[in-house]
Amino acid sequence: MQTISVKTGAGSYPVVFGRGAIRRLRKFLARFDDGVEMFVLSSPRVWRNCGREILRGAGTLVHRQPILFDDAESAKNLQTVGAICRKLVRAGADRRCVLVAVGGGVVGDVAGFVAASYLRGVRLVHVPTTLVAQIDSSIGGKTGVDLPEGKNLVGAFYPPQLVVADPNLLRSLPDRQYRSGIYEVVKYGVIGDVKLFDRLERNMAAILRREPKAVELLIPRCIRLKAGIVSKDERESGLRQVLNFGHTLGHAFETAGNYRRYLHGEAVGWGILAATLLGLATARLDLPEAQRIARAIASVGGLPSISGIRAAKLLPLTRHDKKARAGRVGWVLSRGIGRVDWGIELPEALVARVICELPDVARLARGAR
Ligand SMILES: NC(=O)c1ccc[n+]([C@@H]2O[C@H](COP(=O)([O-])OP(=O)(O)OC[C@H]3O[C@@H](n4cnc5c(N)ncnc54)[C@H](O)[C@@H]3O)[C@@H](O)[C@H]2O)c1
Ligand SMILES: [Zn+2]
């Protein structure tokens, strides 16, 4: 069992990682005061797959009846937040209560925002059940929901009290969801961990087969990297932007595909490929390093096609990204594996050219792996 600490303005919280951690959930939850009510927030699908393990691990500390809500991206909205808050009121949840979010990034983001706003804030524990949630969304305190106008537009920075991540919970995760998380692992390697990247290159087959040893080395490395970054820059005023590598165009692909064609990590896979070409075009990256990144992306598996998605559609979407300032996009580009620059402005003509080249580059990288 490993414990990684994340610093916030309001103190630190531990991220406990380990196979079998869920069996000891009761012990971890015992840090909260006696008699406090703990409510599980989850989705029907997650609960079908993980509920029994959670209840067995938490024992009598949590309410046996979880509050379940749809975790489709289309349900990540204020109506769902309202419905959960009303259920909490009806269940008698008071200010001392603890909410235990069991699920992927959608459950975590929604439950996190409920915790931030219900009775002006109640305590929160994350039990992430997807790879993306274990290495990314449960750490760093970003919570929130979507509006019809865009993704994650309403939310709060609201750190949890505790995160318990157990790779056993990933066993039931569909293969495509798991692979989607691996693109985010590639991102971590590129932005700050050469050894992690080397490991991806050497062990991708074992990682994709979810061999316990391979997975157990990967996840805590990503957690450490993210924990280190958000501990230095909780509110994304600087360094935290490096986590956005591959996400500027990634988010644009997600939106252009109506959140159906690509899973988040897949869109990021395309975004990483584009950022790599942009690094090459601006002479930050040399060709061998760029090829390594492109091959790593290709080795995760085939990305859903980008045919029919034109630069003319993507470019305005990058300008509307939450992270753009006054329509000016700050790109995150790699200077070599393990090193990135952020806040880089680029001519749109260059970005448009790179988008056109993407399908050919992806094909070449698949052939070369
Ligand atoms: N807050 C952050 O910092 C942050 C970071 C990254 C992503 N996100 C958000 O996270 C969301 C994506 O999260 P995600 O990739 O974890 O996917 P998800 O929450 O959409 O879950 C994907 C699917 O897998 C199912 N599932 C979850 N765990 C399972 C399990 N153990 N077994 C079987 N099925 C399971 C879910 O029911 C869902 O159908 C997006 O909304 C994104 O904006 C937030
Ligand atoms: Zn992401």
Side-chain angles (χ1 to χ4, degrees), residues 43-46 49-50 71-73 76 103-109 128-134 136-144 146 151-152 168-174 177 180-181 184 226 240 247 251 254 263-265:
S43 81
R45 178 173 299 161
V46 171
N49 287 290
C50 309
D71 63 0
E73 186 70 36
K76 185 178 153 181
V106 170
V107 166
D109 280 10
T129 64
T130 64
L131 183 55
V132 166
Q134 294 198 350
D136 190 359
S137 59
S138 65
I139 306 143
K142 280 192 184 177
T143 72
D146 306 336
K151 219 171 120 79
N152 297 330
N168 279 346
L169 294 178
L170 304 179
R171 281 187 299 223
S172 51
L173 192 65
Q177 294 287 348
S180 170
E184 297 274 8
K226 178 148 187 192
R240 191 167 174 161
H247 282 62
H251 285 148
E254 243 183 317
L263 297 179
H264 173 73

Side-chain angles (χ1 to χ4, degrees), residues 216-327:
E216 274 158 51
L217 284 168
L218 220 60
I219 298 176
R221 262 200 114 92
C222 297
I223 295 175
R224 269 179 218 287
L225 194 60
K226 178 148 187 192
I229 292 169
V230 301
S231 293
K232 288 197 193 109
D233 178 20
E234 187 182 6
R235 298 282 170 137
E236 203 166 61
S237 41
L239 178 68
R240 191 167 174 161
Q241 290 172 45
V242 303
L243 293 167
N244 218 29
F245 179 70
H247 282 62
T248 312
L249 267 174
H251 285 148
F253 275 115
E254 243 183 317
T255 310
N258 292 321
Y259 299 97
R260 281 194 294 272
R261 193 190 294 199
Y262 311 104
L263 297 179
H264 173 73
E266 293 169 343
V268 169
W270 280 114
I272 292 175
L273 212 51
T276 302
L277 293 180
L278 290 167
L280 196 59
T282 53
R284 280 185 173 74
L285 262 183
D286 62 21
L287 185 61
E289 291 280 278
Q291 284 172 327
R292 284 179 74 192
I293 301 173
R295 278 199 297 266
I297 292 292
S299 69
V300 183
L303 287 167
S305 130
I306 54 168
S307 75
I309 296 186
R310 310 243 168 275
K313 179 155 192 189
L314 293 170
L315 287 172
L317 291 170
T318 61
R319 273 181 247 129
H320 295 146
D321 193 82
K322 217 165 48 284
K323 281 148 192 151
R325 284 171 202 211

Side-chain angles (χ1 to χ4, degrees), residues 13 30 38 58 137 155 199 316 320:
Y13 60 91
M38 300 199 197
S137 59
R199 194 166 280 157
H320 295 146

